[in-house]
Amino acid sequence: GVPVDALTGLAARALDALPDPAFVVDVEGHVVLRNLAHKRMLAQMGIVPARAELLVDEVAARLTDPDLFRAFVAANEQDPDAEHEQVFTFRSAPRTIVVRTCPVRAADCSLVGRVWVLREVTEERLRRVNALAEARTPLTAIQGFVELLATHEYDEPTRLAQLRLVLDQCERLAGTLDELFATD
């Protein structure tokens, strides 16, 4: 087999090749690897990553919604097998990042930790993410009304009222899609 130190060195070089800040946390919650981009990002925030801790409070204090960040970290701890993604915005600068984290497994499929990747969100990407979220609401309503109409017998006035609601939601969805795909 390959020595553990060699694997750690290889993993560190692989993380350093990523342009986005990234780090790996073991199952006990200790940071075992940070790439250069993550170290730079922490330094820009005035945080010195000398410890193997997640630095939750230090990072949360720099975000517009620190409680959301703490809840995100807690969700990762409570469900280590799941993938998680959340958008955060920094207080000091209009800078938005998407934090994505997923499990890391050994060759025998046992959980050994989590990888965290942080990607800066451009205005265009943020606009598209927001528009996508806006599109889901009317789409869910349309699906619900159509399922009801398909599975239940309604009197004609009720059926027509539900169809009008479906049409309203279709118009709302069309407006959202127009906004999403508008060319400026």
Side-chain angles (χ1 to χ4, degrees):
V2 179
V4 172
D5 289 343
L7 287 175
T8 302
L10 178 62
R13 286 189 300 282
L15 278 182
D16 282 342
L18 295 174
D20 297 317
F23 58 97
V24 178
V25 177
D26 66 16
V27 291
E28 287 85 35
H30 300 106
V31 177
V32 293
L33 292 171
R34 293 182 202 276
N35 73 352
L36 292 174
H38 188 245
K39 290 175 187 175
R40 277 193 300 271
M41 179 184 208
L42 290 174
Q44 288 170 353
M45 293 189 311
I47 299 173
V48 179
R51 302 172 292 198
E53 298 172 35
L54 264 178
L55 307 169
V56 175
D57 291 328
E58 292 89 337
V59 173
R62 290 158 174 81
L63 300 173
T64 58
D65 192 344
D67 292 333
L68 179 64
F69 183 72
R70 288 186 188 96
F72 179 75
V73 172
N76 281 283
E77 291 170 354
Q78 292 168 1
D79 193 1
D81 287 319
E83 294 184 14
H84 300 274
E85 183 175 286
Q86 184 65 52
V87 176
F88 298 100
T89 304
F90 289 97
R91 287 178 196 235
S92 61
R95 184 175 178 190
T96 302
I97 60 168
V98 173
V99 177
R100 180 159 177 72
T101 178
C102 59
V104 175
R105 300 196 176 282
D108 66 357
C109 294
S110 62
L111 183 68
V112 294
R114 298 187 72 73
V115 64
W116 293 62
V117 178
L118 296 73
R119 176 165 286 157
E120 190 153 355
V121 179
T122 63
E123 284 294 321
E124 176 63 20
R125 168 102 170 109
L126 190 57
R127 185 175 74 83
R128 290 181 186 277
V129 166
N130 288 337
L132 182 59
E134 285 291 318
R136 285 189 178 122
T137 302
L139 188 58
T140 301
I142 292 166
Q143 182 179 7
F145 283 119
V146 170
E147 285 175 3
L148 284 174
L149 288 168
T151 59
H152 293 80
E153 292 291 325
Y154 292 102
D155 60 57
E156 191 61 15
T158 302
R159 190 180 72 74
L160 289 174
Q162 288 181 334
L163 286 172
R164 276 192 286 283
L165 290 171
V166 168
L167 286 173
D168 289 344
Q169 294 301 317
C170 285
E171 289 174 10
R172 180 176 173 193
L173 179 58
T176 300
L177 293 174
D178 286 346
E179 180 182 320
L180 177 63
F181 294 108
T183 55
D184 296 325

